Amino acid sequence: MKRTKETFYKEHPQAPEREGISGCKDFDGEDLEYDARNKYLKQQQKEWLKQQMLEKESKKHAEKEEENAYATQTLELNRMRGMLQDDFSTKKTEIKNSVKDENLVLAQEKRERERLERLNKIREEQEEVRQLMERGRKKPFSQTSQH
């Protein structure tokens, strides 16, 4: 028989430690805690999955809240813009009406002024014609009374 390594004499373990098949309980490379570790890893994986699901759900909820806040803000801005636009349109209409009324008043004043100017011109022309007619007309000689 060929020896592959030198070993010194070791005492055998006590009887309770040698229980099992052939008196051996564990071997080199044997994993006695495999089932417990597998169970622990599966439990840990379940917890991680639950945590990821909760994170995903909370993220989804936060995104939904953000979308709702954005939609509410957009609606409020649109409502405010509409109100401002209505106010602007009302003021613009009022200004247009005011300008229109002012223009009507100015036009009426201008027509009245032009009418008065025409009347004055006609009077002046009539007066001029009357004066010219009087110049060309001979006046009877009036005698002055002597006392």
Side-chain angles (χ1 to χ4, degrees):
M1 178 165 157
K2 185 177 179 185
R3 288 172 129 188
T4 56
K5 67 179 182 174
E6 291 286 326
T7 58
F8 294 102
Y9 174 75
K10 289 185 180 180
E11 291 185 23
H12 289 291
Q14 296 301 325
E17 295 175 12
R18 292 184 300 184
E19 291 177 359
I21 300 174
S22 301
C24 297
K25 288 176 91 176
D26 59 341
F27 297 98
D28 288 339
E30 183 180 19
D31 191 3
L32 296 177
E33 296 176 3
Y34 175 79
D35 292 331
R37 189 176 59 251
N38 254 355
K39 185 177 179 182
Y40 172 74
L41 290 175
K42 285 182 182 180
Q43 181 65 28
Q44 192 176 29
Q45 187 177 21
K46 281 182 186 179
E47 289 174 13
W48 285 344
L49 286 175
K50 283 181 185 178
Q51 183 181 3
Q52 287 177 345
M53 287 172 54
L54 286 174
E55 287 174 2
K56 185 178 180 180
E57 190 67 31
S58 66
K59 183 178 178 182
K60 185 178 178 182
H61 182 69
E63 287 176 357
K64 185 74 169 176
E65 286 294 320
E66 185 178 340
E67 286 177 9
N68 287 340
Y70 178 77
T72 303
Q73 182 183 21
T74 302
L75 286 175
E76 287 296 317
L77 288 174
N78 285 340
R79 186 182 63 79
M80 182 62 75
R81 184 185 53 82
M83 288 172 47
L84 290 173
Q85 191 172 12
D86 289 344
D87 188 43
F88 176 75
S89 296
T90 303
K91 287 181 180 180
K92 189 174 179 180
T93 303
E94 288 173 0
I95 290 171
K96 280 183 179 179
N97 288 338
S98 173
V99 168
K100 182 178 130 184
D101 292 343
E102 182 68 22
N103 286 340
L104 288 174
V105 168
L106 290 174
Q108 180 65 30
E109 289 174 359
K110 182 179 178 183
R111 282 193 298 270
E112 183 64 25
R113 191 173 54 247
E114 289 174 350
R115 186 182 69 80
L116 291 174
E117 287 175 0
R118 278 193 311 270
L119 286 176
N120 284 338
K121 187 176 180 181
I122 290 172
R123 281 190 206 128
E124 288 174 0
E125 288 175 353
Q126 287 175 349
E127 182 64 27
E128 186 180 347
V129 167
R130 187 187 60 76
Q131 286 177 359
L132 287 175
M133 293 297 280
E134 282 185 13
R135 275 192 222 159
R137 192 184 310 159
K138 293 185 179 183
K139 293 185 183 178
F141 183 71
S142 64
Q143 296 189 0
T144 57
S145 57
Q146 295 178 351
H147 289 270

